[in-house]
Amino acid sequence: MLDNMIFKQLMKHSFTIPVEVTYPNGKTEKYGNGAPQVKIKVNEKIPVKDLLRNASITLGEAYMDKKIEVSGSLQVLINSAYESANSFLNNNKFKRFLPKQSHSEESSKNDVQSHYDLGNDFYKLWLDKTMTYSCAYFKKPDDSLEEAQINKVHHILKKLDPKPGSSLLDIGCGWGTLMLTAAREYNMNVVGITLSEEQYNAVKQRIKDEGLEDQAEVLLEDYRELDHLPFDYITSVGMFEHVGEENLGEYFNTISRYLKSNGVALIHGITRQQGGAYNGWINKYIFPGGYVPGLNENLTHIIESGMQVADIEMLRRHYQRTLEMWTDNFHKVLPEVRKMHDERFIRMWDLYLQACAASFESGNIDVIQYLISKGPSARTLPMTRDYMYKD
């Protein structure tokens, strides 16, 4: 009885939109003014002790197991919970720190492969043709996802102001679109590095298919073990969220070590302006070992590694839109996904995409591009930002 009372109070104060909740006993309560925008059906009692232990894991698993069902947009519901000052997402009584996590080379490899080695065929279903699994860049309101991902690649490379024949290292190269664009269209000599065997094999084949063997190389190894000469430029997209809080300093020190004097790097990744954070459910089911660093943390590590900041750009709204488009694509191909995965996986992945979109929409997380140089800031770059936007 006490659990039911506490859970009802939790629901009552957790949303900024009108919500209808049906409880396991069949009774329905409406919270907020106006017609419900989202309806929640609680099929089984949710123990409050589990919520207190870790609300994100408890509620995420309840949704995956159909103990909770939602009619309406998950993104709208979760964004509303982030915006409510009294919700379980913001109330300190429901926040818990996770234990320190391992980020040895072996554990990092396992973490990456658990997510990215779900299979290229799975990602091909709902990513665009570029196979880019990171925040797109929408130059125009009507940009397609593919156009926006190509925009992002050029936006990153233009910020470097790269010279033909120069060398580029792409740490966490994904399926290779950025590094191969740099080789093909900017005449750079590129090395990509990944821990995902699926990505490695795909990039290696693309290099062969595009006839870029003399300019491009992909390596399957830990970024900390690279045995190459220093590079003129470094890019790293969606990587530092996976290295762990305890290894952020090493990550930026490694970038500094791999850069030539006055070299330039563009580091793109998810960052919290409010400070670093873990998410229990994301860590358990989506990105094992993940940690979203705070803006101040990254800036401190950049400076302590002997580099300086040349430019910072926030792309939060771009990632929200990217995730919304991925969600639409995912929903359109559900019949094909069902041939690969069960309903629990589908509910998990749908929750992941929509929860992330809501988190960006609410400002709980951001995605930031850090343009940094080894030595005095932007010594080799043009004096103004105009060069970044020239065709």
Side-chain angles (χ1 to χ4, degrees):
M1 178 67 73
L2 183 61
D3 270 6
N4 289 339
M5 291 174 59
I6 295 174
F7 190 76
K8 286 185 178 182
Q9 286 298 310
L10 185 68
M11 291 293 102
K12 183 177 180 180
H13 297 290
S14 283
F15 307 105
T16 58
I17 60 171
V19 171
E20 179 182 287
V21 182
T22 301
Y23 292 97
N25 62 6
K27 290 185 178 180
T28 297
E29 300 282 353
K30 292 182 180 179
Y31 305 111
N33 299 321
Q37 293 186 30
V38 178
K39 295 181 180 181
I40 303 170
K41 186 180 180 185
V42 184
N43 294 319
E44 295 184 28
K45 185 180 74 171
I46 308 296
V48 170
K49 63 179 178 63
D50 292 343
L51 286 170
L52 290 171
R53 187 178 301 118
N54 196 302
S56 68
I57 291 178
T58 300
L59 294 175
E61 290 179 339
Y63 181 79
M64 291 163 60
D65 296 329
K66 288 192 174 182
K67 294 178 181 178
I68 294 177
E69 297 183 80
V70 175
S71 298
S73 169
L74 281 169
Q75 180 182 338
V76 168
L77 182 68
I78 297 170
N79 178 56
S80 172
Y82 276 120
E83 290 183 340
S84 171
N86 295 315
S87 93
F88 57 88
L89 294 175
N90 294 314
N91 192 316
N92 286 330
K93 288 188 297 183
F94 297 102
K95 289 182 177 179
R96 290 293 182 271
F97 291 104
L98 297 182
K100 186 175 181 180
Q101 300 174 63
S102 169
H103 282 86
S104 65
E105 292 183 16
E106 184 62 29
S107 66
S108 293
K109 180 179 180 180
N110 292 336
D111 291 345
V112 168
Q113 292 181 351
S114 72
H115 186 84
Y116 293 99
D117 285 353
L118 285 172
N120 292 340
D121 290 341
F122 170 68
Y123 288 102
K124 283 178 182 177
L125 287 176
W126 52 274
L127 294 179
D128 65 284
K129 291 180 181 179
T130 70
M131 288 293 285
T132 306
Y133 187 32
S134 56
C135 174
Y137 182 69
F138 296 88
K139 294 173 68 174
K140 302 189 299 293
D142 59 349
D143 278 341
S144 69
L145 181 57
E146 182 179 356
E147 288 170 334
Q149 292 292 9
I150 293 171
N151 291 344
K152 187 268 298 294
V153 168
H154 288 290
H155 191 51
I156 287 173
L157 292 172
K158 285 180 180 179
K159 283 187 175 184
L160 299 174
D161 194 34
K163 305 299 185 286
S166 57
S167 57
L168 169 72
L169 170 66
D170 189 20
I171 300 176
C173 65
W175 284 276
T177 296
L178 189 152
M179 60 175 283
L180 297 184
T181 300
R184 185 178 58 249
E185 300 187 37
Y186 292 77
N187 195 26
M188 303 177 76
N189 299 306
V190 302
V191 175
I193 188 167
T194 180
L195 283 174
S196 164
E197 291 186 7
E198 291 273 344
Q199 291 179 343
Y200 168 78
N201 291 330
V203 176
K204 194 172 182 179
Q205 188 62 49
R206 287 187 66 183
I207 291 172
K208 182 178 179 181
D209 292 345
E210 297 185 30
L212 294 171
E213 293 97 329
D214 292 338
Q215 283 182 264
E217 179 183 10
V218 62
L219 304 173
L220 181 66
E221 62 182 75
D222 189 276
Y223 76 98
R224 291 166 285 196
E225 296 300 320
L226 187 62
D227 184 22
H228 275 58
L229 295 172
F231 294 83
D232 297 302
Y233 305 99
I234 293 177
T235 52
S236 186
V237 178
M239 171 69 184
F240 62 61
E241 306 94 315
H242 303 291
V243 305
E245 181 179 9
E246 72 277 15
N247 287 328
L248 277 170
E250 181 182 18
Y251 170 78
F252 285 106
N253 282 332
T254 301
I255 290 172
S256 180
R257 178 161 53 90
Y258 290 161
L259 268 181
K260 292 180 180 179
S261 179
N262 295 317
V264 180
L266 191 289
I267 311 302
H268 169 125
I270 300 171
T271 311
R272 289 189 84 242
Q273 295 201 31
Q274 306 92 326
Y278 297 97
N279 179 279
W281 183 81
I282 293 283
N283 277 69
K284 184 173 181 179
Y285 288 100
I286 307 297
F287 288 114
Y291 171 75
V292 177
L295 175 60
N296 286 346
E297 281 180 274
N298 281 344
L299 293 177
T300 297
H301 288 307
I302 289 168
I303 292 166
E304 289 181 348
S305 69
M307 298 184 290
Q308 293 192 8
V309 178
D311 191 82
I312 294 179
E313 183 176 11
M314 284 65 174
L315 299 176
R316 177 185 62 80
R317 294 165 65 192
H318 293 264
Y319 216 159
Q320 177 192 337
R321 188 165 184 177
T322 303
L323 281 153
E324 290 168 350
M325 297 177 87
W326 284 344
T327 300
D328 288 343
N329 289 347
F330 184 71
H331 288 170
K332 289 174 183 175
V333 298
L334 283 177
E336 295 301 312
V337 177
R338 287 190 173 97
K339 296 176 183 178
M340 303 178 180
H341 299 284
D342 61 18
E343 289 297 321
R344 191 173 192 263
F345 175 91
I346 289 170
R347 290 171 71 84
M348 176 189 76
W349 207 262
D350 194 23
L351 176 59
Y352 154 60
L353 293 174
Q354 293 199 58
C356 288
S359 202
F360 282 108
E361 182 178 6
S362 67
N364 178 58
I365 52 178
D366 207 329
V367 62
I368 298 178
Q369 289 188 348
Y370 305 81
L371 184 64
I372 55 183
S373 58
K374 186 172 181 179
S377 64
R379 173 181 276 173
T380 62
L381 297 176
M383 292 283 282
T384 73
R385 287 177 169 176
D386 291 351
Y387 78 97
M388 299 180 186
Y389 303 101
K390 291 179 179 178
D391 291 331

